[in-house]
Amino acid sequence: MKGINTPEINADFKAKIDLEKLTKALGIPDIELKGALAGDIKANGVFDQKNKRFPVTNGTLNLDNGYLKTPYYPNPITNITIKSKIVNQKGTFEDLKVSLTPTQFTFEGKPVFVQADLSNFDDLNYDIKAKGELDVSRIYKVFSQKGLDLDGFVKADVSLKGKQSDAEKGNYSKLNNRGTLELRNIGIASEYLPKKFIIKEGIFKINQDKMSFNNFLAAYGQSDFKMNGYLQNVFNYVMTNTGVLKGSFKVSSRYINVDEFMSSVDPNTPVTQSSAPKTEVKQSDNTQTGVIIIPSNLNLQLIANAQKVNFDKLNLQNATGNLTMKNGKLTMQNTGFNLIGCNVSMNANYQAVTPQKANFDYAIKATDFDIKRAYNEIEVFRKMASAAEKAQGIVSLDYQLKGRLNANMDPVYPSLVGGGTLSVKDVKVRGLKMFNAVSKQTNTESIKNPDLSKVDIKTTVKNNIITVERFKFKFAGFRPRIEGTSSLDGRLNLKMRLGLPPFGIFGIPLTVTGTQDNPKVKVGRKTEDLEETKDTE
């Protein structure tokens, strides 16, 4: 052999080796290897992968009565038989032919048979037959492959025949792929998911490049899934690094706990980086969980229906929607759910930038939202609208918003941009500090607890500031008018005109500054703009 990167090879190899004696002679520890390995191979030429050159080769390599036992599992793989033939007459990747006729082994008393003919490694022409049952977890223990964490059973009876280019270009009529794969209790661990995704049972039927499945049952933590549909481009996805898995299916669930899908990865890890799966995650109290990551090599369409969804202590009922995952982006269209008796519809886009950061945008409509019930039953509502503790009534929301989420899936306030309308109907406000302060300043007792019959409040959000467009309402003979700004951390800069009875022609100009918890009301029109907090990212 001459050279390293593109070596010139001239070889004439003949051998008949007792692998047990060879293993002992080499002193390989902890591995028992037996069998008769016979080889007769001649090769002459250049191996250059970049320019797709391969030595002119003709030969066979066979193994009879093979036996393999490792320290990772107490029982061996036995009856290993490999009959292989390698032929290349022109010295190119295109002319390379490899056949395995047949290959078989026995593991835990169950035989597995594989027969394969591979040719033209420029555009792989394959003819593969496989039949048998594998205990995936035991295979994993035997080989202890770093970066792979699987368990469960796979029963296969498949025949795959075609060309790689036809699979890539979608010429499925030229393929002859068929058979079934039966999966039971398959556990899949990912570096981005703290728990294992369990496939309880499922039968894949292979037809050309499409893999369909019926009543496919799976679970992740407390969540359950039932799926029907198909996957496409499966073989190209499995055999290449660039293959994109395509598919469309319906998903139904009795319960989904979204919080359990939160990632737990080093904050500096980019989304595209690969590392070994984590089967166990230990976190300190201060550890951030990480955003939900959508793999970039998926192009999937889901029609989802879940009876109950738990997300950040929100309990959603009868959630439905069309979800698309493509290029690492999740798109939700016509998504709806019921929350505390309120029908909510939403369209949204979501994409992780790193395991600790994600971008989002959404448009939401909520009709007839009960303020009192929301305060009592939704924790996030109590945090964001503490002033609603003593309020009663119905509100509706039509809002659009975009921004960024941090590692805890919480919005980064300075990144939020959007706007919309909050409609209030038959709302009774009790004990709101701003109105108490206005009442004290104007010596008007009745303004402490206003009742609002129908008011539309339009606002926009940018740089941590909410801008409130001018709106009017009336109660008890008064006609207040409010406009101005407030910050997402509670600072106030509002202008108010308190129109006096009977028709509001005369009024008192007021300014409301300070914070929501400590508002300061003064007579006059002069205010100071709130300082914006711009998003540095």
Side-chain angles (χ1 to χ4, degrees):
M1 186 169 70
K2 181 180 179 181
I4 299 297
N5 295 326
T6 57
E8 297 178 17
I9 299 171
N10 188 355
D12 186 354
F13 172 80
K14 290 184 176 67
K16 188 173 183 180
I17 301 172
D18 185 327
L19 292 179
E20 184 176 15
K21 291 181 179 179
L22 179 64
T23 304
K24 291 179 179 179
L26 296 177
I28 300 175
D30 302 325
I31 292 180
E32 292 184 43
L33 189 60
K34 300 177 185 179
L37 180 66
D40 186 354
I41 300 175
K42 291 183 179 181
N44 189 0
V46 176
F47 178 77
D48 184 351
Q49 187 172 7
K50 182 178 180 180
N51 295 304
K52 299 182 179 180
R53 298 174 65 190
F54 196 91
V56 173
T57 306
N58 188 18
T60 59
L61 189 65
N62 302 326
L63 174 64
D64 289 316
N65 297 318
Y67 176 103
L68 174 64
K69 187 174 185 298
T70 75
Y72 308 110
Y73 187 71
N75 298 326
I77 299 175
T78 61
N79 301 325
I80 304 173
T81 299
I82 300 174
K83 303 288 184 182
S84 68
K85 187 175 182 179
I86 305 172
V87 177
N88 190 321
Q89 297 179 346
K90 297 180 180 179
T92 63
F93 270 39
E94 183 181 3
D95 194 55
L96 178 59
K97 300 179 179 66
V98 177
S99 64
L100 300 171
T101 53
T103 294
Q104 67 182 61
F105 61 88
T106 300
F107 186 65
E108 290 291 344
K110 296 179 179 179
V112 176
F113 302 90
V114 178
Q115 182 173 323
D117 283 302
L118 308 175
S119 62
N120 187 2
F121 281 68
D122 269 351
D123 180 9
L124 185 62
N125 196 327
Y126 58 89
D127 185 354
I128 304 171
K129 295 181 177 65
K131 188 174 183 178
E133 183 172 346
L134 295 176
D135 186 328
V136 179
S137 63
R138 290 172 176 172
I139 293 288
Y140 166 71
K141 290 176 183 177
V142 168
F143 293 100
S144 189
Q145 178 67 40
K146 185 179 180 181
L148 175 66
D149 191 8
L150 298 170
D151 53 37
F153 293 86
V154 175
K155 187 176 181 179
D157 186 357
V158 297
S159 175
L160 313 174
K161 187 175 182 179
K163 292 172 63 176
Q164 183 178 348
S165 61
D166 288 330
E168 291 176 351
K169 296 176 182 178
N171 300 325
Y172 305 131
S173 62
K174 296 182 179 181
L175 304 177
N176 187 13
N177 300 321
R178 53 189 170 79
T180 60
L181 280 173
E182 182 179 346
L183 281 65
R184 287 184 286 117
N185 298 322
I186 295 290
I188 304 171
S190 165
E191 59 197 295
Y192 298 128
L193 297 176
K195 297 178 181 292
K196 282 187 178 181
F197 190 86
I198 306 295
I199 301 173
K200 293 182 177 180
E201 62 181 73
I203 297 179
F204 291 101
K205 292 185 178 180
I206 301 168
N207 183 18
Q208 306 301 59
D209 196 50
K210 182 179 288 187
M211 182 180 285
S212 60
F213 46 96
N214 298 316
N215 297 330
F216 196 87
L217 303 180
Y220 180 85
Q222 299 175 345
S223 306
D224 65 88
F225 304 92
K226 182 178 180 180
M227 295 178 282
N228 293 276
Y230 70 88
L231 296 173
Q232 206 161 1
N233 201 37
V234 176
F235 306 110
N236 191 35
Y237 170 77
V238 171
M239 292 191 304
T240 69
N241 294 326
T242 58
V244 176
L245 184 64
K246 303 175 183 179
S248 176
F249 46 92
K250 294 181 179 180
V251 181
S252 60
S253 173
R254 289 173 298 178
Y255 177 67
I256 299 176
N257 188 350
V258 178
D259 294 342
E260 293 183 318
F261 285 83
M262 298 302 183
S263 169
S264 180
V265 195
D266 188 288
N268 298 316
T269 305
V271 174
T272 54
Q273 181 174 328
S274 177
S275 61
K278 296 177 176 62
T279 56
E280 182 179 352
V281 179
K282 295 181 179 179
Q283 300 177 349
S284 66
D285 292 338
N286 296 324
T287 300
Q288 293 177 317
T289 55
V291 299
I292 299 172
I293 292 174
I294 311 299
S296 60
N297 56 348
L298 296 180
N299 184 358
L300 302 177
Q301 193 172 34
L302 300 86
I303 300 174
N305 186 323
Q307 296 178 23
K308 184 178 179 181
V309 178
N310 179 73
F311 174 59
D312 195 21
K313 299 183 180 178
L314 292 177
N315 293 316
L316 313 180
Q317 307 288 333
N318 300 323
T320 61
N322 297 325
L323 287 77
T324 302
M325 286 183 281
K326 186 176 182 179
N327 299 327
K329 184 176 183 179
L330 173 67
T331 300
M332 294 187 291
Q333 294 179 319
N334 301 321
T335 300
F337 55 86
N338 185 281
L339 178 65
I340 62 166
C342 170
N343 290 322
V344 180
S345 63
M346 182 170 66
N347 294 312
N349 293 294
Y350 168 92
Q351 188 167 24
V353 181
T354 73
Q356 304 294 311
K357 181 170 64 177
N359 295 328
F360 76 95
D361 64 79
Y362 74 85
I364 185 171
K365 289 185 178 181
T367 306
D368 294 342
F369 197 73
D370 189 311
I371 297 176
K372 190 67 175 176
R373 187 174 174 186
Y375 188 88
N376 291 336
E377 299 182 24
I378 304 176
E379 180 178 340
V380 68
F381 187 82
R382 288 197 296 273
K383 291 180 179 179
M384 295 179 66
S386 58
E389 179 180 5
K390 297 179 181 180
Q392 300 178 39
I394 303 297
V395 300
S396 297
L397 181 67
D398 186 350
Y399 221 83
Q400 298 81 42
L401 202 64
K402 66 179 181 179
R404 195 172 73 255
L405 301 174
N406 64 18
N408 291 322
M409 294 292 287
D410 294 326
V412 179
Y413 287 152
S415 74
L416 300 181
V417 178
T421 302
L422 175 70
S423 300
V424 299
K425 181 173 65 175
D426 299 328
V427 173
K428 297 179 180 180
V429 181
R430 299 292 180 267
L432 189 62
K433 293 181 179 180
M434 187 184 84
F435 284 108
N436 285 343
V438 172
S439 173
K440 184 177 180 181
Q441 180 69 31
T442 59
N443 294 318
T444 308
E445 183 68 21
S446 60
I447 205 171
K448 276 188 177 182
N449 301 311
D451 295 346
L452 312 182
S453 57
K454 182 68 173 74
V455 181
D456 290 336
I457 305 172
K458 296 181 180 181
T459 63
T460 56
V461 179
K462 188 176 182 180
N463 295 335
N464 206 42
I465 299 296
I466 302 173
T467 300
V468 183
E469 295 184 17
R470 179 180 293 184
F471 69 95
K472 304 175 183 179
F473 57 98
K474 57 183 178 179
F475 68 94
F478 291 93
R479 296 176 182 248
R481 185 182 74 197
I482 299 176
E483 61 186 300
T485 59
S486 66
S487 68
L488 292 171
D489 55 7
R491 293 172 292 142
L492 300 174
N493 181 25
L494 299 174
K495 294 179 180 179
M496 184 173 180
R497 181 185 184 276
L498 185 60
L500 301 175
F503 304 111
I505 298 174
F506 300 100
I508 303 173
L510 302 168
T511 62
V512 183
T513 58
T515 66
Q516 292 178 4
D517 292 329
N518 185 25
K520 298 177 180 178
V521 179
K522 294 182 180 179
V523 176
R525 294 184 175 88
K526 187 177 180 180
T527 63
E528 293 183 6
D529 292 339
L530 295 177
E531 182 180 353
E532 296 183 350
T533 304
K534 294 186 178 181
D535 182 20
T536 57
E537 296 194 29

